Amino acid sequence: MANTEIVEEQKRQLHGLRIRDMLTTLTAATAAISATGFMFAVAPLNGALSFVLLSYVLFVAFYALITALDEDREGVKDRVASVIVRSAAVVIFSALVFIVVFTITRGFEALPYLNFFVEDMSLAGPLDPLTTGGIIHSIIGSLIQIAIALAITIPLGLITAVFLNEMPGKYSRFVRTMVEAMTALPSIVAGLFIYATAILILGVQKSGFAAALAISVMMLPIMIRASDVVLRIVPSTLKEASLGLGAGSWRTAWMVTLPTARSGLTTAIILATARGIGETSPVLLTSGFTASLNLDPTNGPMVSLPLAIFQFVKSPEPTMIARGFGTAAVLMLLVLILFILARVLGSDVKISKRLAGLLKFRRGDK
Amino acid sequence: MFRRRINQVVAYLSLSLVLLSFSSSQAQAADYVPVNGAGSSWSANAIDQWRRNVVQYGMRVNYASTGSSDGRNQFKSGTVDFASSEIPYGLKDGGVVDTLPSRAFAYLPLVAGGTALMYNLKIGGKRFTNLRLDGETLTKIFTGVITFWDDAAIAKANPGIALPKRKIVPVVRSDGSGSTAQFTSWMAEEYPKIWDEYCKAAGRSTPCGVTSNYPVIAGKGYVSQPNSQGVSGYVSQNANEGTITYVEYSYALKTGFPVVKLLNDAGYYVLPTASNVAVALLQAKIDTRPGNTYLTQILSGVYNSKDSRAYPLSSYSYLIVPTAVSGSFTQAKGATLGDFAYYYLCEGQQQAEVLGYSPLPINLVKAGLEQVKKIPGVNAKNKDVSKCNNPTFSPDGSNLLAKTAPMPPEQDREGYTGPITDPNPGDSGSGGTVDPGNNGIVDPGNSSNGGGFIDNGGVIDSNIVGPAYCDNDTGICQPVSAAAVTPPSGFGGLAGVVQTIALIILFFVLILIVPFLQLMQRKRR
Amino acid sequence: MANIIIGMRLGLSPRNSKQSSTSNESQSQALAISSDSPRLIKHVYDAQDQIFRTVMRAAGSSVLVIMAMVGIFLALRASEALGKVGLGFFTIQAWEPDSGNFGIAAVIAGTVIIAVIAVSIAVPFSLGTALYISEYAPRRIKKFLITLVDLMAAIPSVVFGLWGFFYLQNEITPVAKWISQNFGWIPFLSVQGSDPNDPLTSNTIFTSSSLIAGIVVALMITPIVTSVMREVFSQAPIGEREAALGLGSTHWGMVRNVVLTFGKGGIIGATMLGLGRALGETIAVYMIISPVFVIQPRILENGANSVSSLIALRYGEATQMGMSALMAAGLALFILTLIVNFVASSIVARSRSGASS
């Protein structure tokens, strides 16, 4: 009540830090930790985890108590909720960042050597030190396989997604149901399917191409579903306007629907790509394994990054395990680069325009 | 506009591809056609090293370690040029006969090794490293008959040791594996009754015989882990006391954990060292009777070798090669495969020990060389075994191993230290098993360097000749003197930390690029 | 174009297919009304459109064919095994395909247990994180966090597996022990074969459990669940948000009554999506669990199972019958995930934020 008088003339602050919040948090944290310490000294309690859990619970309680001094019930709820939401975010981000850092640290033994990025493993056996051999064969293998898979899934996936949206009817509803069902396909079964059909029945070699097919089977439903969702939120008024102006459905799709949804579609494609490039199980059965660089996807085995990791960490040699973690770091880096590429391509037009200008050394773009 | 951008991306991608491939292009001799193989993960470490070694001759051998059965199946369906396997075709695994492939084939001995039994046991807070077991007790441990470490049968083999009343936790392979096949084939051959009873309880049809998938009865405290890395990693975790697993000797050596000394028919407790395995395999017979088992190994002689050095749980894996041109297998591929086989049977065996295996003894090498001639397109050579430099036989082709392999010390004889048969505790030397207080118990920080090849109380360096570098944090030991191994140099200590941090920062800077660009964008607007 | 984007961001777009189809109808109605007398509306497609429509239909059909082939192939390969054990396939708790004694009961139960653990850990945290990003985070770091979450969703599963095997396994056993000692009276948190008073009890009983696999899978699915939830929350109509605040609601009150109410469907959809991924996760689970073939509801105790890790573990050494049995297991998992997906989509379709999840 006294509160309302104070805030009367002020702009209501929804975000940002207030000094009082910080003090409250600090006080509650100190109180909670000391109280927990006291309880640990008195009661038969032990363990780091129980300490953390108990002090967190106490912290929330104290925090609620302190805020209750000058806020009403709704205000306390508001504050407590914000604390809980924030701690959830902190836990998740720190856990995920930790996983990334852990992988890089473990792989670090292998990473400083330039040969790790430019050589293949054909001259490095289990007994060789980290100064020879690298993973270029699996980096290029991954890129080739994902490129083939994208060449299959982007046209097929996008056209199917457009089909689901532009030609509504019983048939497309059925296709949509099937696609949704297929997102449930365990990725190892996708590999098994290509192995049993393309390799055993059609006689395709175990090769980069076969692996790309398996990745495509896995990626296709993901991509269709994601692009379908994106296309659905394209305002129908726009499409109607286009149709109303006399454009055919082809022109509408090509000039209106797809450009409008471009950012979302890029995200859809990149998410599917990230899954496709990071999955071990579909390539396990289809790509074969080699230690040397193979640029020909139709002939001979071609190894990709996840498969290389999987094989490296099975070895008894510590150098091989270090290589496995190093490869994992490289795989994450590759995904990251793909991401940046997609964001640049898919995000605001101006950035890409400027980038294009930069790349072409065009003048006049300021 | 959109199209142009795509074009640019494509151009950049292809440019970077070209650059990358330039930097790694290597001259490849045109003489050899690459061959592809798949199969045993048990033999993978050796094949991986050999295929690296033959690159210098211009050979390219691709090998996928997907599992023995997968290798056999793929060879059967013609998707690979060769396979490696611990189990031959035509055996019953889990009650189903594996049919022979329709293409003509032959078995070659590939690489030999002993199945080591790695364990994690502490007595009085110190790691116990001198555990001795006889075959029957071992079988009973892995079939759930013996469930505590202080069981009378174990105590009998380890007189004077105050074994703890701790539960035995057998760790087995959760995936199908060659190690399981080798271990179970030994149990099925030597102790069929105990093994069949267990199998039956696990819901399998009997006689159980050899299997690649270890049957597990739920609730008996078994732990299953995938891969050799999985089982050895599990046992070597400090907290996992009381665990025992079967694994390739190399994994036990690398993790620095002890392995069981197993009683042989001559009455000695022996370790699965390279020479002990090779001595045992001198008794391996190759079945020459025509039929399903043609050219497969008969190991009963190995399991029951009367040599006091022989490690009973020894066996070798096969390389399965085609003996006729069919499908994608051509004469040219035969030439590559033949030369590869010649290489590994001869020179390649030198490295077997460093890789954690045992070199093939002379009888198997000779048998293998005979088989190579059957590969179509092979450059048949009368390979001179004397030039092989195989550590198990001398340059004149005689069986060096049988003469020179060190004998086990007298204290490892069965009953030698038994309180009744020989109550004389003073004689047995430092590594002995008599002193009940601390014998065989090695403080992890001060592991014994007894020096000998075999007669070492602990197990840690018995196969690593010369000094070994052991990391205390990871427990990983590396032989420093082994010729091919040089520990990675540089970037230790502070520099390493700085580089790690730099790398992590770089990683996050990369993440930040996009939001930053967008921020700039907004400012301009 | 910028206007369109702004329009989308303001939430002016229709939010599910039902709405958009109704608007299509209204469009044709409008056409009909605009003419003087009712007439038959006939679509006339020019050549370009004809080709386009044919291509679209062909693409849709080829996708359908591919998908159908996978399904048929699975069913065909599985039929051998299913024929051998019949209905026992769903009740037998064992996996010995070669002696004809195998069933999915324990494996499916294990899969569900791991997935449920993963989801029940992942969803509260994802909800918090998504709310933080969309409602609490300062504008400056918001974009960064969104990118970070999207990026995390792309961390390959094998990396999570490596982390789980080489790090988490070691660290979590004391925690599991602590939980079982303090909360062992809850049936599913109890551990059989462990006596806390016996100093010689090994920690092995607490390793390779459903809980550890569940935690790893939880971390794996958190980014994707967070990402979907955040997307939905960000679409909560601005008008309603402002109305709530204008009526004197606190920030949390607004979040609860506008954002969460609006995003209910999206939360369920995201949860189901996470559940679907958790059910199918292979490599991370493969590296951690110690497979058992009985239904093992004690989540802290050693022993767990999952269908996809079973396939990865066993395909290498599988005989023909074994392979067929694995296919049947894959089919069962597939059907289970299918049911989850359909339940999810039927819930989501009825909600306001449905279409975007």
Side-chain angles (χ1 to χ4, degrees), chain B residues 389-414:
Chain B
N389 262 329
N390 186 319
T392 66
F393 44 86
S394 69
D396 62 3
S398 72
N399 191 341
L400 186 70
L401 176 76
K403 290 181 212 148
T404 60
M407 289 289 172
E410 198 46 26
Q411 72 226 18
D412 276 344
R413 188 164 54 78
E414 186 187 21

Side-chain angles (χ1 to χ4, degrees), chain B residues 475-508:
Chain B
I476 289 167
C477 291
Q478 283 179 315
V480 174
S481 65
V485 180
T486 29
S489 57
F491 298 117
L494 190 68
V497 175
V498 171
Q499 292 228 358
T500 314
I501 293 169
L503 209 78
I504 291 165
I505 291 174
L506 188 78
F507 199 80
F508 286 108

